[in-house]
Protein backbone atom coordinates (compact mmCIF):
# COMPACT_ATOMS: atom_id res chain seq x y z
CA UNK A 1 0.00 0.00 0.00
CA UNK A 2 1.32 3.44 -0.92
CA UNK A 3 1.60 6.33 1.50
CA UNK A 4 -1.37 8.68 1.44
CA UNK A 5 -3.11 11.64 3.03
CA UNK A 6 -6.86 11.66 3.37
CA UNK A 7 -8.79 14.89 3.86
CA UNK A 8 -12.47 15.43 3.14
CA UNK A 9 -14.26 18.16 5.09
CA UNK A 10 -17.61 18.03 3.24
CA UNK A 11 -20.59 17.79 5.56
CA UNK A 12 -23.13 15.52 3.87
CA UNK A 13 -26.77 16.00 4.84
CA UNK A 14 -28.64 13.05 3.38
CA UNK A 15 -32.29 12.11 3.12
CA UNK A 16 -35.91 13.08 2.58
CA UNK A 17 -36.86 16.65 3.32
CA UNK A 18 -33.30 17.76 4.02
CA UNK A 19 -33.40 20.82 1.73
CA UNK A 20 -35.28 22.57 4.55
CA UNK A 21 -32.05 22.40 6.55
CA UNK A 22 -30.57 25.09 4.34
CA UNK A 23 -32.03 27.57 6.80
CA UNK A 24 -29.55 26.43 9.43
CA UNK A 25 -26.70 25.34 7.13
CA UNK A 26 -26.39 28.80 5.56
CA UNK A 27 -25.48 31.46 8.13
CA UNK A 28 -28.24 34.10 8.30
CA UNK A 29 -26.02 37.04 7.40
CA UNK A 30 -24.68 35.55 4.15
CA UNK A 31 -25.28 37.28 0.84
CA UNK A 32 -25.88 34.33 -1.45
CA UNK A 33 -25.58 33.62 -5.13
CA UNK A 34 -27.82 30.69 -6.04
CA UNK A 35 -26.64 28.92 -9.20
CA UNK A 36 -28.58 26.42 -11.25
CA UNK A 37 -28.83 24.82 -14.68
CA UNK A 38 -31.36 24.82 -17.49
CA UNK A 39 -34.48 24.78 -15.34
CA UNK A 40 -35.05 21.22 -14.08
CA UNK A 41 -35.11 22.56 -10.51
CA UNK A 42 -38.00 24.86 -11.38
CA UNK A 43 -40.02 21.97 -12.81
CA UNK A 44 -39.50 19.47 -10.00
CA UNK A 45 -40.08 21.69 -6.99
CA UNK A 46 -36.46 21.80 -5.82
CA UNK A 47 -36.18 25.53 -6.52
CA UNK A 48 -39.30 26.22 -4.44
CA UNK A 49 -37.96 24.16 -1.55
CA UNK A 50 -34.66 26.06 -1.67
CA UNK A 51 -36.36 29.46 -1.79
CA UNK A 52 -38.66 28.53 1.05
CA UNK A 53 -35.75 27.43 3.23
CA UNK A 54 -33.96 30.71 2.49
CA UNK A 55 -36.96 33.01 2.88
CA UNK A 56 -35.94 36.43 4.10
CA UNK A 57 -32.28 36.04 3.00
CA UNK A 58 -30.44 38.09 0.38
CA UNK A 59 -30.29 35.70 -2.57
CA UNK A 60 -29.11 36.62 -6.07
CA UNK A 61 -29.57 34.06 -8.83
CA UNK A 62 -27.67 32.83 -11.85
CA UNK A 63 -29.40 30.19 -13.98
CA UNK A 64 -28.45 28.64 -17.29
CA UNK A 65 -25.30 26.73 -16.38
CA UNK A 66 -25.25 24.13 -19.13
CA UNK A 67 -24.34 20.44 -19.05
CA UNK A 68 -20.54 20.33 -19.37
CA UNK A 69 -20.43 23.84 -17.90
CA UNK A 70 -18.83 26.45 -20.08
CA UNK A 71 -16.11 28.80 -18.99
CA UNK A 72 -17.77 31.57 -20.99
CA UNK A 73 -21.02 31.21 -19.00
CA UNK A 74 -19.23 30.76 -15.69
CA UNK A 75 -17.30 33.98 -16.19
CA UNK A 76 -20.63 35.82 -16.45
CA UNK A 77 -21.64 34.32 -13.12
CA UNK A 78 -18.25 35.24 -11.68
CA UNK A 79 -18.83 38.81 -12.79
CA UNK A 80 -22.21 38.83 -11.07
CA UNK A 81 -20.74 37.39 -7.88
CA UNK A 82 -18.11 40.14 -7.86
CA UNK A 83 -20.59 42.93 -8.68
CA UNK A 84 -23.05 41.91 -5.99
CA UNK A 85 -20.23 41.16 -3.55
CA UNK A 86 -21.81 37.89 -2.53
CA UNK A 87 -20.05 36.01 0.23
CA UNK A 88 -21.33 32.50 -0.40
CA UNK A 89 -22.43 30.36 -3.36
CA UNK A 90 -25.20 27.79 -3.35
CA UNK A 91 -25.16 25.33 -6.27
CA UNK A 92 -28.44 23.51 -6.93
CA UNK A 93 -28.41 20.84 -9.63
CA UNK A 94 -26.29 18.08 -11.14
CA UNK A 95 -22.54 17.72 -11.47
CA UNK A 96 -22.33 20.46 -14.08
CA UNK A 97 -23.90 23.08 -11.82
CA UNK A 98 -21.74 21.98 -8.90
CA UNK A 99 -18.54 21.90 -10.94
CA UNK A 100 -19.35 25.24 -12.53
CA UNK A 101 -20.01 26.79 -9.15
CA UNK A 102 -16.73 25.47 -7.78
CA UNK A 103 -15.02 27.28 -10.62
CA UNK A 104 -16.97 30.49 -9.87
CA UNK A 105 -15.96 30.17 -6.20
CA UNK A 106 -12.28 30.15 -7.12
CA UNK A 107 -12.50 32.55 -10.05
CA UNK A 108 -14.34 35.25 -8.07
CA UNK A 109 -11.33 35.89 -5.86
CA UNK A 110 -8.62 35.20 -8.43
CA UNK A 111 -6.85 38.45 -9.26
CA UNK A 112 -3.51 37.23 -10.60
CA UNK A 113 -4.65 36.69 -14.18
CA UNK A 114 -7.25 34.97 -16.32
CA UNK A 115 -9.18 32.45 -14.20
CA UNK A 116 -8.83 29.97 -17.10
CA UNK A 117 -5.31 29.51 -15.71
CA UNK A 118 -6.87 27.65 -12.78
CA UNK A 119 -7.70 24.94 -15.33
CA UNK A 120 -4.97 25.28 -17.92
CA UNK A 121 -1.96 26.21 -15.76
CA UNK A 122 -2.99 24.71 -12.41
CA UNK A 123 -2.86 28.23 -10.99
CA UNK A 124 -3.61 28.04 -7.28
CA UNK A 125 -5.90 30.75 -5.94
CA UNK A 126 -5.35 31.74 -2.32
CA UNK A 127 -8.99 32.57 -1.57
CA UNK A 128 -12.35 31.30 -2.70
CA UNK A 129 -15.96 31.94 -1.87
CA UNK A 130 -17.46 29.31 0.40
CA UNK A 131 -19.82 26.96 -1.36
CA UNK A 132 -22.82 24.84 -0.41
CA UNK A 133 -24.58 22.33 -2.68
CA UNK A 134 -27.94 20.71 -3.24
CA UNK A 135 -27.19 17.72 -5.46
CA UNK A 136 -29.98 16.47 -7.75
CA UNK A 137 -28.16 13.91 -9.94
CA UNK A 138 -26.14 11.01 -8.50
CA UNK A 139 -23.20 10.57 -10.85
CA UNK A 140 -20.10 12.70 -10.53
CA UNK A 141 -19.46 12.71 -6.80
CA UNK A 142 -18.89 16.45 -7.15
CA UNK A 143 -20.99 16.93 -4.02
CA UNK A 144 -18.31 15.12 -2.03
CA UNK A 145 -15.03 16.16 -3.60
CA UNK A 146 -12.74 19.02 -4.63
CA UNK A 147 -12.81 18.32 -8.37
CA UNK A 148 -14.37 20.34 -11.14
CA UNK A 149 -14.45 19.95 -14.90
CA UNK A 150 -15.04 22.96 -17.15
CA UNK A 151 -15.37 23.24 -20.91
CA UNK A 152 -14.26 26.12 -23.09
CA UNK A 153 -16.56 26.61 -26.02
CA UNK A 154 -14.21 28.75 -28.07
CA UNK A 155 -11.38 26.19 -28.13
CA UNK A 156 -13.32 22.93 -27.65
CA UNK A 157 -11.32 22.11 -24.55
CA UNK A 158 -12.53 20.31 -21.44
CA UNK A 159 -10.20 20.51 -18.47
CA UNK A 160 -10.32 19.54 -14.81
CA UNK A 161 -8.90 21.04 -11.66
CA UNK A 162 -8.60 19.84 -8.10
CA UNK A 163 -8.29 22.34 -5.26
CA UNK A 164 -9.05 22.06 -1.54
CA UNK A 165 -10.86 25.43 -1.68
CA UNK A 166 -13.36 23.76 -4.02
CA UNK A 167 -14.63 21.35 -1.35
CA UNK A 168 -18.26 22.24 -0.64
CA UNK A 169 -18.83 23.22 3.01
CA UNK A 170 -21.93 21.08 2.89
CA UNK A 171 -23.90 19.05 0.39
CA UNK A 172 -27.54 18.18 0.71
CA UNK A 173 -28.49 14.94 -1.01
CA UNK A 174 -32.23 14.33 -1.03
CA UNK A 175 -32.84 11.19 -3.12
CA UNK A 176 -36.43 12.31 -3.78
CA UNK A 177 -35.08 15.11 -5.98
CA UNK A 178 -33.82 12.44 -8.39
CA UNK A 179 -37.29 11.00 -9.16
CA UNK A 180 -37.62 13.37 -12.11
CA UNK A 181 -34.37 12.40 -13.81
CA UNK A 182 -34.82 11.38 -17.43
CA UNK A 183 -33.88 7.72 -17.88
CA UNK A 184 -30.80 8.69 -19.89
CA UNK A 185 -29.43 10.85 -17.07
CA UNK A 186 -30.21 8.22 -14.43
CA UNK A 187 -28.37 5.57 -16.48
CA UNK A 188 -25.51 7.97 -17.19
CA UNK A 189 -25.16 8.55 -13.46
CA UNK A 190 -24.81 4.85 -12.69
CA UNK A 191 -22.17 4.41 -15.39
CA UNK A 192 -20.23 7.49 -14.25
CA UNK A 193 -20.13 6.37 -10.62
CA UNK A 194 -19.17 2.84 -11.73
CA UNK A 195 -16.37 4.25 -13.88
CA UNK A 196 -15.07 6.36 -10.98
CA UNK A 197 -14.72 3.25 -8.87
CA UNK A 198 -12.98 1.47 -11.73
CA UNK A 199 -10.47 4.24 -12.36
CA UNK A 200 -9.31 3.74 -8.77
CA UNK A 201 -9.49 -0.05 -8.82
CA UNK A 202 -8.70 -1.55 -12.21
CA UNK A 203 -4.90 -1.36 -12.17
CA UNK A 204 -2.74 -4.00 -10.48
CA UNK A 205 -2.86 -5.63 -7.02
CA UNK A 206 -1.38 -3.18 -4.51
CA UNK A 207 -1.74 -4.96 -1.17
CA UNK A 208 -4.80 -2.90 -0.34
CA UNK A 209 -7.46 -5.52 0.41
CA UNK A 210 -9.73 -3.11 2.28
CA UNK A 211 -9.75 -0.53 -0.53
CA UNK A 212 -10.37 -3.36 -3.03
CA UNK A 213 -13.35 -4.62 -1.09
CA UNK A 214 -14.71 -1.11 -0.56
CA UNK A 215 -14.51 -0.59 -4.31
CA UNK A 216 -16.10 -3.97 -4.98
CA UNK A 217 -18.96 -3.15 -2.59
CA UNK A 218 -19.70 -0.06 -4.66
CA UNK A 219 -19.47 -1.97 -7.95
CA UNK A 220 -21.75 -4.78 -6.79
CA UNK A 221 -24.28 -2.31 -5.39
CA UNK A 222 -24.35 -0.25 -8.58
CA UNK A 223 -24.76 -3.39 -10.70
CA UNK A 224 -27.67 -4.44 -8.51
CA UNK A 225 -29.46 -1.11 -8.03
CA UNK A 226 -28.60 0.61 -11.32
CA UNK A 227 -30.96 -1.29 -13.64
CA UNK A 228 -33.66 -1.27 -10.95
CA UNK A 229 -33.90 2.53 -10.75
CA UNK A 230 -34.81 2.53 -14.43
CA UNK A 231 -37.70 0.14 -13.68
CA UNK A 232 -38.75 1.78 -10.40
CA UNK A 233 -37.87 5.48 -10.66
CA UNK A 234 -39.87 6.42 -7.55
CA UNK A 235 -38.42 3.74 -5.27
CA UNK A 236 -36.86 5.81 -2.50
CA UNK A 237 -34.46 3.21 -1.17
CA UNK A 238 -33.09 2.39 -4.61
CA UNK A 239 -32.58 6.09 -5.37
CA UNK A 240 -30.95 6.59 -1.97
CA UNK A 241 -28.64 3.65 -2.62
CA UNK A 242 -27.46 5.04 -5.95
CA UNK A 243 -27.05 8.54 -4.47
CA UNK A 244 -24.85 7.24 -1.69
CA UNK A 245 -22.83 5.06 -4.09
CA UNK A 246 -22.13 8.05 -6.34
CA UNK A 247 -20.97 10.20 -3.44
CA UNK A 248 -18.74 7.42 -2.07
CA UNK A 249 -17.29 6.53 -5.45
CA UNK A 250 -15.33 9.76 -5.70
CA UNK A 251 -14.92 11.17 -2.20
CA UNK A 252 -11.32 10.05 -1.89
CA UNK A 253 -11.78 7.01 0.35
CA UNK A 254 -11.18 4.23 -2.17
CA UNK A 255 -8.23 6.12 -3.70
CA UNK A 256 -6.23 5.86 -0.49
CA UNK A 257 -2.89 4.16 -1.02
CA UNK A 258 -3.68 2.60 -4.40
CA UNK A 259 -2.56 3.22 -7.99
CA UNK A 260 -5.11 4.91 -10.25
CA UNK A 261 -5.69 5.01 -13.98
CA UNK A 262 -7.87 7.86 -15.28
CA UNK A 263 -7.25 7.08 -18.97
CA UNK A 264 -10.93 6.49 -19.72
CA UNK A 265 -11.95 9.86 -18.26
CA UNK A 266 -9.12 11.73 -19.93
CA UNK A 267 -9.93 10.41 -23.39
CA UNK A 268 -13.64 10.76 -22.66
CA UNK A 269 -13.31 14.48 -21.91
CA UNK A 270 -11.77 14.97 -25.35
CA UNK A 271 -14.64 13.12 -27.01
CA UNK A 272 -17.15 15.30 -25.19
CA UNK A 273 -15.20 18.45 -26.06
CA UNK A 274 -15.06 17.60 -29.76
CA UNK A 275 -18.31 15.70 -30.36
CA UNK A 276 -20.60 16.69 -27.48
CA UNK A 277 -21.33 13.17 -26.21
CA UNK A 278 -22.56 13.02 -22.59
CA UNK A 279 -19.77 12.37 -20.11
CA UNK A 280 -20.99 8.85 -19.25
CA UNK A 281 -21.61 7.98 -22.90
CA UNK A 282 -17.89 8.45 -23.53
CA UNK A 283 -16.96 6.31 -20.54
CA UNK A 284 -19.10 3.35 -21.63
CA UNK A 285 -17.32 3.37 -24.97
CA UNK A 286 -13.77 3.94 -23.86
CA UNK A 287 -13.46 1.89 -20.68
CA UNK A 288 -13.82 -1.55 -22.33
CA UNK A 289 -11.37 -0.46 -25.04
CA UNK A 290 -8.79 0.72 -22.49
CA UNK A 291 -9.03 -2.61 -20.67
CA UNK A 292 -8.74 -4.65 -23.87
CA UNK A 293 -5.71 -2.62 -24.89
CA UNK A 294 -4.11 -2.86 -21.46
CA UNK A 295 -5.09 -6.48 -20.87
CA UNK A 296 -1.75 -7.96 -19.88
CA UNK A 297 -1.09 -5.34 -17.19
CA UNK A 298 -4.63 -5.37 -15.84
CA UNK A 299 -5.22 -9.15 -16.16
CA UNK A 300 -4.76 -9.97 -12.49
CA UNK A 301 -7.17 -7.33 -11.26
CA UNK A 302 -9.65 -8.09 -14.03
CA UNK A 303 -9.63 -11.73 -12.94
CA UNK A 304 -10.24 -10.71 -9.32
CA UNK A 305 -13.14 -8.55 -10.50
CA UNK A 306 -14.48 -11.45 -12.60
CA UNK A 307 -14.42 -13.78 -9.63
CA UNK A 308 -15.73 -11.45 -6.97
CA UNK A 309 -18.27 -9.37 -8.88
CA UNK A 310 -19.41 -11.59 -11.72
CA UNK A 311 -18.76 -14.86 -9.87
CA UNK A 312 -16.97 -16.33 -12.90
CA UNK A 313 -14.40 -18.76 -11.62
CA UNK A 314 -14.10 -21.43 -14.31
CA UNK A 315 -12.02 -21.23 -17.48
CA UNK A 316 -8.91 -19.35 -18.48
CA UNK A 317 -10.01 -16.08 -19.95
CA UNK A 318 -11.52 -14.55 -16.82
CA UNK A 319 -10.21 -11.10 -17.72
CA UNK A 320 -11.77 -10.99 -21.19
CA UNK A 321 -15.03 -12.35 -19.90
CA UNK A 322 -15.11 -9.68 -17.18
CA UNK A 323 -14.70 -7.01 -19.87
CA UNK A 324 -17.56 -8.53 -21.88
CA UNK A 325 -19.75 -8.60 -18.77
CA UNK A 326 -19.01 -4.95 -18.06
CA UNK A 327 -19.86 -3.97 -21.59
CA UNK A 328 -23.12 -5.93 -21.37
CA UNK A 329 -23.89 -4.10 -18.11
CA UNK A 330 -23.44 -0.72 -19.78
CA UNK A 331 -25.61 -1.82 -22.69
CA UNK A 332 -28.29 -3.12 -20.31
CA UNK A 333 -28.58 0.45 -19.02
CA UNK A 334 -29.15 1.67 -22.57
CA UNK A 335 -25.68 3.05 -23.28
CA UNK A 336 -23.77 2.33 -26.46
CA UNK A 337 -20.25 0.97 -26.28
CA UNK A 338 -18.74 1.89 -29.67
CA UNK A 339 -17.91 5.29 -31.15
CA UNK A 340 -19.17 4.01 -34.49
CA UNK A 341 -22.64 3.71 -32.94
CA UNK A 342 -22.54 7.49 -32.47
CA UNK A 343 -21.45 7.99 -36.08
CA UNK A 344 -17.91 8.92 -35.03
CA UNK A 345 -15.01 7.71 -37.19
CA UNK A 346 -11.24 7.85 -36.99
CA UNK A 347 -10.72 11.26 -38.61
CA UNK A 348 -9.81 13.16 -35.41
CA UNK A 349 -8.06 10.40 -33.46
CA UNK A 350 -4.57 11.82 -34.17
CA UNK A 351 -5.75 15.25 -33.04
CA UNK A 352 -7.16 13.84 -29.78
CA UNK A 353 -4.02 11.87 -29.02
CA UNK A 354 -1.88 14.86 -29.95
CA UNK A 355 -3.62 16.98 -27.32
CA UNK A 356 -2.25 14.78 -24.54
CA UNK A 357 1.19 14.87 -26.06
CA UNK A 358 1.11 18.68 -26.28
CA UNK A 359 0.10 18.91 -22.62
CA UNK A 360 2.98 16.59 -21.73
CA UNK A 361 0.56 14.01 -20.36
CA UNK A 362 1.08 10.27 -20.37
CA UNK A 363 -1.80 8.17 -19.15
CA UNK A 364 -2.27 4.93 -17.25
CA UNK A 365 -1.09 3.59 -13.91
CA UNK A 366 2.42 3.25 -15.36
CA UNK A 367 2.24 6.36 -17.59
CA UNK A 368 2.68 3.91 -20.44
CA UNK A 369 -0.11 5.29 -22.61
CA UNK A 370 1.20 7.91 -25.02
CA UNK A 371 -0.01 9.26 -28.34
CA UNK A 372 0.34 5.98 -30.25
CA UNK A 373 -1.53 4.00 -27.60
CA UNK A 374 -4.36 6.56 -27.39
CA UNK A 375 -4.91 6.17 -31.15
CA UNK A 376 -4.87 2.38 -30.76
CA UNK A 377 -7.45 2.55 -27.94
CA UNK A 378 -9.67 4.84 -30.01
CA UNK A 379 -9.44 2.44 -32.94
CA UNK A 380 -10.71 -0.36 -30.69
CA UNK A 381 -13.81 1.83 -30.13
CA UNK A 382 -14.67 1.40 -33.81
CA UNK A 383 -15.00 -2.41 -33.78
CA UNK A 384 -18.46 -3.76 -34.37
CA UNK A 385 -20.51 -3.83 -31.17
CA UNK A 386 -21.33 -7.10 -29.39
CA UNK A 387 -24.57 -8.81 -30.45
O1 LIG B 1 -29.62 21.81 -16.38
P1 LIG B 1 -30.82 21.25 -15.75
O2 LIG B 1 -32.09 21.82 -16.25
O3 LIG B 1 -30.76 21.24 -14.24
O4 LIG B 1 -30.94 19.69 -16.22
C1 LIG B 1 -29.93 18.73 -16.00
C2 LIG B 1 -29.12 18.44 -17.26
O5 LIG B 1 -29.89 18.65 -18.40
C3 LIG B 1 -30.59 17.41 -15.73
N1 LIG B 1 -30.95 17.18 -14.32
C4 LIG B 1 -30.15 17.26 -13.23
N2 LIG B 1 -30.84 16.90 -12.13
C5 LIG B 1 -32.11 16.60 -12.54
C6 LIG B 1 -32.18 16.79 -13.93
N3 LIG B 1 -33.33 16.60 -14.62
C7 LIG B 1 -34.41 16.20 -13.94
N4 LIG B 1 -34.40 15.97 -12.60
C8 LIG B 1 -33.27 16.15 -11.87
N5 LIG B 1 -33.25 15.88 -10.55
O6 LIG B 1 -29.63 16.44 -16.13
C9 LIG B 1 -28.86 16.95 -17.19
C10 LIG B 1 -27.40 16.62 -16.99
O7 LIG B 1 -26.92 17.28 -15.86
P2 LIG B 1 -25.34 17.38 -15.57
O8 LIG B 1 -25.18 18.13 -14.30
O9 LIG B 1 -24.64 17.86 -16.78
O10 LIG B 1 -24.94 15.84 -15.38
P3 LIG B 1 -23.87 15.18 -14.47
O11 LIG B 1 -24.25 15.25 -13.05
O12 LIG B 1 -23.67 13.86 -15.06
O13 LIG B 1 -22.55 16.08 -14.64
C11 LIG B 1 -21.69 15.94 -15.73
C12 LIG B 1 -20.51 16.88 -15.61
O14 LIG B 1 -19.71 16.56 -14.47
C13 LIG B 1 -18.35 16.35 -14.88
C14 LIG B 1 -18.52 15.84 -16.28
O15 LIG B 1 -17.33 15.91 -17.01
C15 LIG B 1 -19.60 16.75 -16.81
O16 LIG B 1 -19.05 18.01 -17.18
N6 LIG B 1 -17.66 15.46 -13.91
C16 LIG B 1 -17.35 15.96 -12.71
C17 LIG B 1 -16.62 15.24 -11.79
C18 LIG B 1 -16.30 15.77 -10.46
N7 LIG B 1 -16.59 17.02 -10.17
O17 LIG B 1 -15.74 15.08 -9.63
C19 LIG B 1 -16.10 13.91 -12.09
C20 LIG B 1 -16.75 13.27 -13.25
O18 LIG B 1 -15.87 12.31 -13.77
C21 LIG B 1 -17.13 14.19 -14.35
O19 LIG B 1 -16.04 14.45 -15.19
ZN1 LIG C 1 -16.87 10.77 -14.42
Amino acid sequence: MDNFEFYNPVKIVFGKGTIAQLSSLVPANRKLLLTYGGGSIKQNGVYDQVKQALAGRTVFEFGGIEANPRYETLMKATQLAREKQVDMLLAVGGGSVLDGTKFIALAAGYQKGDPWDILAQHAAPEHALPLGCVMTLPATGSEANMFSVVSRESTHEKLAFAHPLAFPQFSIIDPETTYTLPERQAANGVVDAFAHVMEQYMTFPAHAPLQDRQAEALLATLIEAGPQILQQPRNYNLRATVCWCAAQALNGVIACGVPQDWTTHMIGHEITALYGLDHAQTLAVIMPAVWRHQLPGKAEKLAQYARRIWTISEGEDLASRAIDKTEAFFRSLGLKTRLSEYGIGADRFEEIAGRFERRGLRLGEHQAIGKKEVVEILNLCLQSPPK
Side-chain angles (χ1 to χ4, degrees):
M1 196 188 305
D2 296 334
N3 292 0
F4 65 88
E5 284 182 14
F6 176 73
Y7 172 69
N8 189 323
V10 184
K11 174 173 183 164
I12 302 279
V13 179
F14 192 101
K16 280 183 199 179
T18 45
I19 293 176
Q21 292 188 37
L22 278 173
S23 59
S24 53
L25 288 165
V26 176
N29 57 354
R30 291 287 199 203
K31 227 189 204 188
L32 274 181
L33 179 63
L34 161 65
T35 54
Y36 58 95
S40 70
I41 65 162
K42 294 210 166 157
Q43 281 149 25
N44 62 12
V46 170
Y47 176 84
D48 292 338
Q49 290 184 56
V50 169
K51 292 294 278 193
Q52 200 180 334
L54 296 173
R57 312 292 182 95
T58 310
V59 185
F60 300 98
E61 295 186 17
F62 186 92
I65 296 178
E66 49 287 279
N68 305 305
R70 291 183 193 157
Y71 164 77
E72 290 84 351
T73 306
L74 302 175
M75 285 310 294
K76 289 183 193 155
T78 302
Q79 199 50 42
L80 181 66
R82 287 176 180 161
E83 253 169 50
K84 302 293 182 192
Q85 299 189 320
V86 302
D87 50 21
M88 185 165 186
L89 304 175
L90 180 66
V92 184
S96 293
V97 173
L98 271 58
D99 281 12
T101 308
K102 289 174 175 180
F103 178 77
I104 299 164
L106 269 67
Y110 186 70
Q111 308 289 1
K112 284 188 273 182
D114 183 347
W116 181 249
D117 295 347
I118 297 168
L119 289 143
Q121 312 290 340
H122 305 293
E126 282 147 27
H127 314 283
L129 290 172
L131 160 74
C133 299
V134 176
M135 174 48 110
T136 65
L137 200 178
T140 60
S142 187
E143 66 276 24
N145 67 41
M146 60 167 176
F147 307 127
S148 163
V149 190
V150 173
S151 297
R152 190 164 187 160
E153 176 72 354
S154 59
T155 52
H156 293 282
E157 285 171 286
K158 184 174 182 187
L159 300 177
F161 72 86
H163 198 290
L165 288 170
F167 274 121
Q169 282 192 345
F170 65 81
S171 286
I172 293 177
I173 307 172
D174 178 346
E176 287 190 319
T177 67
T178 70
Y179 289 168
T180 52
L181 280 170
E183 207 170 286
R184 165 172 149 196
Q185 298 302 342
N188 278 352
V190 172
V191 170
D192 193 21
F194 186 91
H196 294 157
V197 178
M198 283 300 188
E199 306 272 52
Q200 302 162 88
Y201 170 86
M202 195 50 75
T203 55
F204 53 86
H207 307 286
L210 172 62
Q211 294 89 321
D212 275 4
R213 288 198 170 87
Q214 287 173 317
E216 287 154 1
L218 289 167
L219 298 173
T221 309
L222 285 165
I223 290 168
E224 189 179 87
Q228 290 188 66
I229 55 167
L230 304 185
Q231 305 306 320
Q232 304 172 51
R234 298 186 75 84
N235 181 320
Y236 179 80
N237 287 317
L238 286 174
R239 290 292 196 180
T241 296
V242 173
C243 283
W244 193 222
C245 282
Q248 296 264 326
L250 200 51
N251 68 354
V253 170
I254 61 170
C256 291
V258 299
Q260 302 182 45
D261 171 14
W262 287 89
T263 303
T264 297
H265 269 71
M266 296 298 282
I267 301 177
H269 289 339
E270 298 305 324
I271 302 288
T272 298
L274 292 175
Y275 297 101
L277 263 58
D278 293 347
H279 174 58
Q281 290 176 335
T282 70
L283 306 176
V285 169
I286 294 160
M287 183 157 276
V290 169
W291 290 354
R292 289 193 173 103
H293 189 270
Q294 296 288 305
L295 232 185
K298 292 189 188 292
E300 226 180 307
K301 213 63 193 284
L302 277 163
Q304 175 179 320
Y305 162 63
R307 280 192 293 270
R308 293 188 183 174
I309 301 295
W310 296 110
T311 56
I312 317 173
S313 52
E314 304 291 314
E316 290 180 356
D317 53 349
L318 292 188
S320 302
R321 283 153 69 198
I323 300 174
D324 294 344
K325 282 277 192 190
T326 306
E327 206 176 330
F329 170 59
F330 294 158
R331 296 185 83 86
S332 77
L333 292 167
L335 281 94
K336 301 174 166 66
T337 55
R338 292 292 186 275
L339 283 179
S340 38
E341 292 178 275
Y342 290 104
I344 296 173
D347 40 319
R348 300 185 82 170
F349 287 178
E350 288 287 332
E351 178 188 346
I352 292 170
R355 285 179 156 199
F356 296 112
E357 195 177 52
R358 267 205 312 285
R359 294 180 199 139
L361 280 177
R362 290 182 66 81
L363 309 176
E365 60 270 36
H366 303 293
Q367 289 78 50
I369 301 177
K371 184 174 177 190
K372 173 173 136 313
E373 292 77 17
V374 170
V375 172
E376 288 165 3
I377 289 167
L378 286 166
N379 274 311
L380 290 176
C381 303
L382 296 179
Q383 289 179 348
S384 40
K387 295 265 155 29

